[in-house]
Amino acid sequence: MEHIDDTFKEMQQQMQQLRETLDNQKIINENMLRKSYRRDLNSLRSTSSRVPLLCVVAIALAWSFCETGFSVPFFIATELMMLGCLAGSLLINRHIPPLDCNMVTAAEELSKFKESYVNWIRVGIPMLLFWLSWMIAELFIRDFPESFRLPFICGSATGIVLGGCMGLRLRRRIIISAEELLASLQSLKETM
């Protein structure tokens, strides 16, 4: 009987050691998930901050339209469009949660951030098409020499295609990063 009691006590000790080991593994996994979440959140913040920076660059470069002979209303509309894009991107970026935010609030804010980025294209494409139409109309209404029009159109088309591809790629990377962060938050939630 004493042998059975010793075996039982030994089994209890082994079970206790196993529980402690599993608890330590859970803590280590949870810490790794938190570090990964923080790193990914900082990466998302860094990537998404490029959009407002690009808007500021576009605002600064828009003056070249006046220098080349485009109308002042076109220049003003270009500046207003880019200011709107800057304001929109800053408003969207405010939904990136701080590092010390609780998981529920962080998930809600990240969902709003992702949804805003997904829906932003619905505003951006029509605005870009309107602006392009106005720019082409300006090229033919105003008195630009023929030697200016064709190179300008070719250069603009190249810039729009390259810029559009880069912009869509950046947008996609931001959306994927937001989705990965939401998955990380879900994993953290499940471990707790």
Side-chain angles (χ1 to χ4, degrees):
M1 189 69 161
E2 189 175 307
H3 177 66
I4 293 174
D5 286 341
D6 288 341
T7 305
F8 184 70
K9 286 180 183 179
E10 186 178 323
M11 286 176 61
Q12 283 180 331
Q13 288 174 347
Q14 289 175 354
M15 286 297 288
Q16 183 62 32
Q17 288 174 348
L18 182 61
R19 279 191 203 114
E20 289 172 5
T21 303
L22 288 174
D23 286 344
N24 288 338
Q25 286 294 325
K26 184 177 177 182
I27 290 169
I28 290 170
N29 286 339
E30 188 177 314
N31 288 340
M32 288 173 61
L33 283 171
R34 285 184 190 278
K35 284 180 184 177
S36 172
Y37 169 74
R38 286 187 177 120
R39 184 185 64 242
D40 292 345
L41 187 64
N42 284 332
S43 175
L44 176 65
R45 187 172 281 119
S46 172
T47 304
S48 64
S49 68
R50 293 178 191 166
V51 177
L53 182 64
L54 292 172
C55 289
V56 170
V57 169
I59 289 168
L61 294 176
W63 178 253
S64 64
F65 285 116
C66 278
E67 294 293 317
T68 56
F70 283 85
S71 68
V72 173
F74 178 75
F75 163 70
I76 292 171
T78 301
E79 290 287 2
L80 289 175
M81 180 182 76
M82 293 315 301
L83 284 170
C85 291
L86 175 63
S89 62
L90 291 173
L91 287 173
I92 291 171
N93 286 353
R94 73 186 168 106
H95 289 295
I96 298 175
L99 289 173
D100 58 348
C101 188
N102 69 51
M103 283 189 281
V104 173
T105 305
E108 289 173 357
E109 290 298 310
L110 275 171
S111 293
K112 290 177 188 176
F113 174 81
K114 180 186 158 226
E115 183 180 328
S116 298
Y117 252 96
V118 168
N119 292 331
W120 176 249
I121 204 163
R122 293 181 185 161
V123 174
I125 296 293
M127 194 169 25
L128 178 64
L129 292 175
F130 173 75
W131 181 80
L132 282 174
S133 302
W134 192 353
M135 183 179 72
I136 291 170
E138 286 265 335
L139 277 173
F140 291 101
I141 292 172
R142 301 191 64 80
D143 193 23
F144 288 108
E146 194 63 39
S147 62
F148 174 80
R149 285 185 192 150
L150 185 60
F152 185 82
I153 289 172
C154 290
S156 296
T158 303
I160 289 168
V161 168
L162 289 176
C165 289
M166 289 171 40
L168 289 173
R169 185 173 163 216
L170 178 63
R171 176 183 174 266
R172 181 173 178 206
R173 189 168 25 165
I174 289 170
I175 291 170
I176 289 172
S177 293
E179 288 171 348
E180 289 172 352
L181 277 167
L182 286 168
S184 293
L185 282 172
Q186 186 63 31
S187 297
L188 275 170
K189 185 178 170 185
E190 289 171 1
T191 61
M192 295 185 156

